[in-house]
Amino acid sequence: MKKIAAFFTALILFLAIIIAFHFAMSGGSLNANNKNFGTWNSPYKDLSCAAISQNMHKDTMLVLGSSEFRHGRKTPFHPVNAFKKKNVSLMTVGNSYNQCLNHAITLGAVENKMQKRKVVLLISAPWFYKQGVTGPRYSLRFSETSYMAFMENKSIPSSIKKYVARRNETLMKDNGAMENRVRRIDRIYVYHNGTGIDKALYRARKAYAKDKDYITVKTMMRTGKIKTLRKYNGKIADATPLDWQSMSMEAGRIDGSKSHNKMYISDRLWKSKFARKYKKAAGLHRNEDFSTSSEFGDLKCFLKLCKAENIEPMLVVLPVNGRWYDHTGLNYSKRAKFSNKIKKISDKYGAQVSDLSKYDYDPYFVQDTLHPWGKGWVKIDEAIYKFYRQS
């Protein structure tokens, strides 16, 4: 009897702790009042509409990209460090497989919190393979809470919502429960034929998703040592100007000592990955040119959204390793078709473009075949900084 009583006592205490933890972590705010939150590279942050929107301060500019944000974070050239002591506040969103459609949804979900009406989209040419983003990869970066907020946003034109709905229903077609939830949201907010049951299930799911976001992000903030401050620390006296030329020279000096192969890839990555791939990669992409892809439709959707919401966009076309892509059959003339098409689309929608593909053959701009190295980050930083400072 004593053992049974002890068991139930322990069980009650355990449940009490779980309930207390739930209420402690799911309530309150996700606003960290910390500009370092914005450049924190975390998929949990990226997937939480509340985490992003609550940390969009008056001076915060949204910068959207993909896996490049994970590379070079310990160097002085990555935005997390280059702007740490500068009066620049960025909200970066991006991990592997984030592409234009994910970012259109994020933008539409948080735009009503954007006082600084500017956005930067870092574009990677390999997004634009013929098939575009695949369903499984897209699903990895799909934010349910951002999709809800996007569709609830009454200022977004119905034509844009319909495009986003069709694309998501297609990409989620093999995703079971999530496909059903997406279709339910679309019935309510896009096609306006949702039933009473749809709406009740939506409200319940929204409450659950919100709690999950709060608990997950707060837990990961502690793990990632992102402190919550009483007063916003974004205003910094930064009288010392950024010397882009000196930074680039320093980056080249540091990274030049780490590369001794004909592709100018980091020796570590060359030895561990690319040396054994080199022969097999010859001509691998001979039938690609990055100029025919469903990704262009998603990019146009993103730019249409910017125009509809009076947000000024800048597209930064990231450099790739020109020597490697020449080797795989995607030579400069083919890649030029892609960058020219980006420029035409940007002109049509009034977007600025910073085309860094002109550095495809410059040593030490990318550390592998496409991720920025020191010199690459300096040029990206410079483009972001100048756009941020423009009136």
Side-chain angles (χ1 to χ4, degrees), residues 64 100 121-125 127-128 299 315-319 338 342:
L64 307 169
C100 296
L121 179 63
L122 306 182
I123 290 181
S124 182
W127 292 1
F128 291 81
L299 175 60
L315 308 183
V316 179
V317 180
L318 300 179
F338 160 73
I342 293 290

Side-chain angles (χ1 to χ4, degrees), residues 34 57 97 125 132 188 216 253 293 321 340 349 373 385-386:
N34 187 344
H57 300 280
Y97 312 130
I188 296 169
T216 303
R253 184 189 67 78
S293 172
N321 187 322
N340 289 336
Y349 292 101
W373 219 350
Y385 184 81
K386 289 180 177 178

